[in-house]
Amino acid sequence: MIVIAIGILTLMIMSRGMKQRSIRLERLFIQNLRSREIAAQVRGSRKPLFEGHLLDRDIHIGEFDIPEDSQWTGKTLYQLKLRNRFGTHVSSILRGSQRLNIPRGNTIVFPGDKIQVIGNDQQLAAISVAIRSEIRPEDNDIEKREMILRQIVLSEKSPFIGKSLKDSGIRDEYDCMVVGVDEGQTHITLINPSHALTIGDILWVVGEKENIKQIQATNE
């Protein structure tokens, strides 16, 4: 019985030693393998594991022209919220001979800009559709809204008499602008906004034809 017990104890001790040696060899093998993989990635002979996932997702850069009448013009990238709407990122904005790389959220989009966007095929296709569809409606009355320049002589019936130019309402109520006053000189002089208008003042006013007519009607 004693001999058997000693034999069993000896086997247990040898088994533990062999197990520890096996663990050490396994750890050394894994460490060497990882070192070779890292070295291969540094040399470029081995691609990173995530490369295949990116290729599967088909992520690339698309370039889009911003039309002059686009609803995107005048807005910042933050206001457009392209990442929230389409899941994309704007990498660059091409403006004339300039390139704005990694634009910030407060960067304004101008007519004629080219934006470079990172995304997959579906995301880039959605942005393309949005750019073509989000257009300001055509102004059918563009010719009727042409600006004209007229000379107006203030009569005693004019509601502007005694008021300063800034309080007259010519800009706010009639959407017109006084560009100068005719004082009989070679050049039209700029009028002081605080100048009190009096009878006989000759104002040069710019505005749409219908608005100019309204000012003239109040002067009769």
Side-chain angles (χ1 to χ4, degrees):
M1 293 296 291
I2 295 175
V3 172
I4 294 173
I6 293 173
I8 293 174
L9 182 61
T10 303
L11 290 175
M12 291 176 61
I13 294 173
M14 291 178 64
S15 175
R16 287 183 180 179
M18 292 178 63
K19 183 179 292 186
Q20 290 177 355
R21 264 178 72 183
S22 175
I23 292 174
R24 285 198 299 269
L25 289 174
E26 183 180 356
R27 289 177 179 175
L28 182 61
F29 173 77
I30 293 174
Q31 184 177 359
N32 292 336
L33 179 62
R34 289 178 178 176
S35 299
R36 288 196 297 270
E37 289 181 349
I38 293 173
Q41 290 183 15
V42 172
R43 291 194 301 267
S45 58
R46 176 181 172 84
K47 302 299 182 181
L49 296 177
F50 61 78
E51 183 192 37
H53 296 289
L54 290 180
L55 294 176
D56 292 341
R57 294 175 182 271
D58 196 22
I59 295 176
H60 52 274
I61 297 178
E63 184 174 293
F64 305 94
D65 294 325
I66 303 298
E68 294 184 354
D69 52 355
S70 172
Q71 295 180 5
W72 293 20
T73 58
K75 294 182 179 180
T76 63
L77 294 178
Y78 175 79
Q79 292 173 323
L80 293 175
K81 300 186 183 303
L82 301 183
R83 185 173 62 180
N84 295 337
R85 293 173 60 189
F86 308 104
T88 58
H89 300 270
V90 177
S91 61
S92 301
I93 295 179
L94 306 179
R95 182 173 299 158
S97 60
Q98 297 182 348
R99 172 186 286 272
L100 307 176
N101 289 331
I102 318 298
R104 298 181 179 275
N106 59 359
T107 302
I108 299 175
V109 175
F110 288 95
D113 280 353
K114 295 179 183 292
I115 62 173
Q116 293 184 336
V117 184
I118 299 175
N120 59 34
D121 287 341
Q122 293 180 346
Q123 293 167 337
L124 298 181
I127 280 190
S128 179
V129 172
I131 291 176
R132 293 196 305 269
S133 60
E134 296 179 12
I135 301 295
R136 292 187 176 90
E138 183 178 354
D139 188 355
N140 297 323
D141 298 329
I142 187 171
E143 294 183 358
K144 296 180 181 179
R145 300 180 62 245
E146 183 180 0
M147 301 292 280
I148 60 175
L149 175 64
R150 289 291 184 269
Q151 184 188 65
I152 298 178
V153 181
L154 299 184
S155 68
E156 59 182 8
K157 296 181 180 180
S158 174
F160 309 135
I161 301 299
K163 296 180 180 179
S164 65
L165 180 62
K166 62 181 180 180
D167 296 331
S168 65
I170 293 177
R171 176 187 289 270
D172 298 331
E173 297 180 18
Y174 299 95
D175 293 325
C176 293
M177 178 173 59
V178 177
V179 297
V181 56
D182 189 346
E183 296 179 340
Q185 300 175 357
T186 305
H187 302 287
I188 296 176
T189 59
L190 297 177
I191 187 171
N192 188 340
S194 61
H195 169 72
L197 301 175
T198 59
I199 299 174
D201 281 350
I202 304 174
L203 306 181
W204 286 92
V205 183
V206 175
E208 296 180 18
K209 186 176 181 180
E210 294 301 321
N211 294 337
I212 295 289
K213 284 184 177 180
Q214 292 182 14
I215 293 179
Q216 291 173 332
T218 62
N219 197 48
E220 295 176 356

